Amino acid sequence: MASMVERLIRRGVIIPCPASVQIGEEIDPERIAPGVILHAGTRLSGANTLISEGSSIGAEAPVTIVDCWIGRRVDLRGGYFAKSVFLDDVGFNSGAHVREGTIMEEQSFAGHTVALKQTILFPFVTLGSLINFCDCFMAGGTSRKNHSEVGSAYIHFNFTPNQDKATPSLIGDVPAGVMLRERPIFLGGQGGMVGPCVLSYGTVVAAGSIVRKDETRPNRLIQDGGARSVNVEFTPGLHLSLKRIVLNNARYIANLLALRQWYRHIRALFVGERFSEALHGGLCATLDIAIGERVKRLGEYTRNMPRENEPSGPQAMRQNELAENAGALPGIVDSLMQEEGACKALESLLQSIRQAMDRHGDRYIDTIRGLDLESAETGKAWLQGLVDSGMRQIVGGLCPSLMEP
């Protein structure tokens, strides 16, 4: 019986140095498209692995791929990639370390030595080099020339002294971001962000700044003063900014749930030669992993919440509510995931997208950017309604007092 490498070569996969390539026996050759280039040092494993037409693996350094879904003309130049999705025309330089739950949508890009996990980048988002950007969602920009960007040597701080990771940062949002017409967001290099944060479109953060607060106003310039220092006693179990942490986590989960509806109803329209059913399935499955991760982390945060025997004041009351309702979150999110999301706004949006596809075919970016303003606003309103409803149900189920004005 021919080896997996021989079978791929016969299929038309380009393998310049066959003796240096390792292909797991569980790999389905039919999921590796003819014309794909597997450079020296490539290792493929995982039955889910899919590599589409025109993609190149390992042009700069060895690459390990484990259960990844890879679109067309993707260039993964060196590093480790596991249980993630890379849609058409994604580029990633060498030194990558990409782990479970990562989604890079069309034309997003990362420089060398970048670490991602549970990260979702919308089209055109560009990351510099020497970056650790885990547990983030980022959108913004309208093209490869007008894109959201993270400068080199940037860190998203996603672990707390209380040893929880209820720290996802929402940089942009899903309802407006999917329409591909918002102002880009810029995070200057040699800087960082302390999750969970929320930043609006048009935000510019000066190089060297550490973002510690939300900025929900659009088009703001942020520069960290850097002169203030704090040295105080730390009490383990002290939960500062409890309200902000819960609300930001709920907002993040609600945005991912809205994105899930977008993938199910809108992305599904584009399944065909350019965007295979297998790639769409991997995209949806990976998003579900990302949702599960956020539910797990927020659940850990609430379960570790200390109770007050004789609560006095809103902080103690909220701590007790969170501790009491800690087990409710998976059920709330499961219920939200079962909702169809169908409504008149969605029906109108689907009709507009099908009409746009008559002009642009199955080209996703051209079709979405080609929507008229009214249709785009209809889509944003539909998704924002899903986000708002999701937040109400998550926050109301975990901590009812946070719903009070």
Side-chain angles (χ1 to χ4, degrees):
M1 181 178 178
S3 70
M4 289 296 295
V5 172
E6 292 171 334
R7 292 169 68 185
L8 289 177
I9 291 174
R10 291 175 185 174
R11 179 167 163 75
V13 176
I14 301 169
I15 307 179
C17 189
S20 73
V21 173
Q22 298 179 25
I23 310 295
E25 290 300 318
E26 72 280 8
I27 292 290
D28 181 355
E30 296 298 315
R31 292 171 71 91
I32 313 298
V36 165
I37 303 175
L38 303 181
H39 291 279
T42 296
R43 294 190 293 176
L44 304 183
S45 64
N48 289 322
T49 292
L50 171 79
I51 308 179
S52 304
E53 295 84 356
S55 292
S56 172
I57 310 299
E60 294 181 345
V63 166
T64 297
I65 290 175
V66 182
D67 275 325
C68 287
W69 294 265
I70 298 171
R72 300 173 307 141
R73 299 180 302 276
V74 172
D75 192 2
L76 304 182
R77 298 176 185 175
Y80 175 81
F81 305 87
K83 300 179 180 179
S84 297
V85 178
F86 308 88
L87 299 185
D88 291 358
D89 302 299
V90 165
F92 213 121
N93 286 348
S94 58
H97 196 257
V98 181
R99 292 177 285 165
E100 181 178 272
T102 294
I103 295 173
M104 295 182 67
E105 294 199 0
E106 290 89 348
Q107 300 183 38
S108 54
F109 177 82
H112 70 79
T113 323
V114 173
L116 306 177
K117 178 174 70 68
Q118 301 294 336
T119 301
I120 298 176
L121 305 179
F122 266 18
F124 320 124
V125 173
T126 297
L127 310 182
S129 299
L130 303 170
I131 289 172
N132 191 319
F133 206 60
C134 301
D135 298 304
C136 296
F137 168 93
M138 190 169 188
T142 59
S143 69
R144 285 293 302 136
K145 291 184 178 181
N146 180 45
H147 57 263
S148 289
E149 181 159 349
V150 180
S152 294
Y154 201 89
I155 296 177
H156 179 250
F157 299 101
N158 64 333
F159 194 70
T160 76
N162 289 316
Q163 303 182 35
D164 68 69
K165 299 190 77 172
T167 52
S169 287
L170 195 64
I171 307 161
D173 64 9
V174 168
V178 296
M179 297 304 168
L180 306 179
R181 56 189 70 197
E182 298 299 319
R183 291 197 63 187
I185 298 168
F186 178 77
L187 306 179
Q190 198 68 34
M193 180 181 298
V194 181
C197 264
V198 174
L199 293 184
S200 290
Y201 293 107
T203 298
V204 174
V205 180
S209 299
I210 304 294
V211 179
R212 301 178 186 275
K213 298 180 180 180
D214 301 338
E215 181 49 79
T216 57
R217 297 170 294 179
N219 308 319
R220 306 290 294 185
L221 173 63
I222 298 173
Q223 182 170 358
D224 179 46
R228 181 173 178 263
S229 62
V230 176
N231 188 335
V232 298
E233 181 180 359
F234 172 71
T235 303
L238 179 64
H239 288 269
L240 301 174
S241 305
L242 180 151
K243 178 178 180 179
R244 176 174 171 268
I245 289 171
V246 173
L247 291 179
N248 280 2
N249 273 266
R251 181 179 288 109
Y252 195 96
I253 293 171
N255 269 268
L256 295 193
L257 291 169
L259 181 58
R260 189 174 189 270
Q261 295 290 351
W262 179 266
Y263 284 173
R264 291 176 63 199
H265 294 289
I266 308 303
R267 281 277 187 179
L269 296 176
F270 295 83
V271 169
E273 292 184 5
R274 292 175 179 267
F275 181 57
S276 69
E277 185 174 354
L279 186 56
H280 179 255
L283 185 65
C284 294
T286 304
L287 181 60
D288 283 352
I289 290 172
I291 293 169
E293 173 72 5
R294 299 277 56 94
V295 171
K296 172 186 172 183
R297 297 302 184 180
L298 181 55
E300 290 172 348
Y301 177 79
T302 56
R303 282 193 298 273
N304 293 330
M305 192 64 56
R307 289 176 179 265
E308 295 286 345
N309 293 328
E310 297 181 6
S312 60
Q315 174 77 5
M317 181 171 64
R318 290 165 182 168
Q319 288 184 189
N320 283 7
E321 285 182 347
L322 287 171
E324 181 179 346
N325 299 320
L329 183 59
I332 295 170
V333 173
D334 284 345
S335 177
L336 288 168
M337 291 175 75
Q338 298 305 315
E339 294 182 1
E340 287 297 318
C343 62
K344 290 184 178 180
L346 173 59
E347 294 174 4
S348 175
L349 178 63
L350 288 170
Q351 182 178 358
S352 297
I353 289 177
R354 291 190 179 100
Q355 291 173 350
M357 291 179 73
D358 290 339
R359 301 189 299 273
H360 301 288
D362 58 357
R363 296 189 298 275
Y364 174 78
I365 287 178
D366 291 343
T367 298
I368 299 303
R369 289 194 302 199
L371 292 173
D372 60 83
L373 182 59
E374 182 179 355
S375 298
E377 290 298 322
T378 297
K380 287 167 62 177
W382 167 58
L383 291 168
Q384 190 61 55
L386 294 175
V387 171
D388 294 343
S389 175
M391 278 197 69
R392 284 194 300 271
Q393 294 184 56
I394 292 170
V395 176
L398 288 178
C399 193
S401 62
L402 286 179
M403 301 295 292
E404 299 173 2

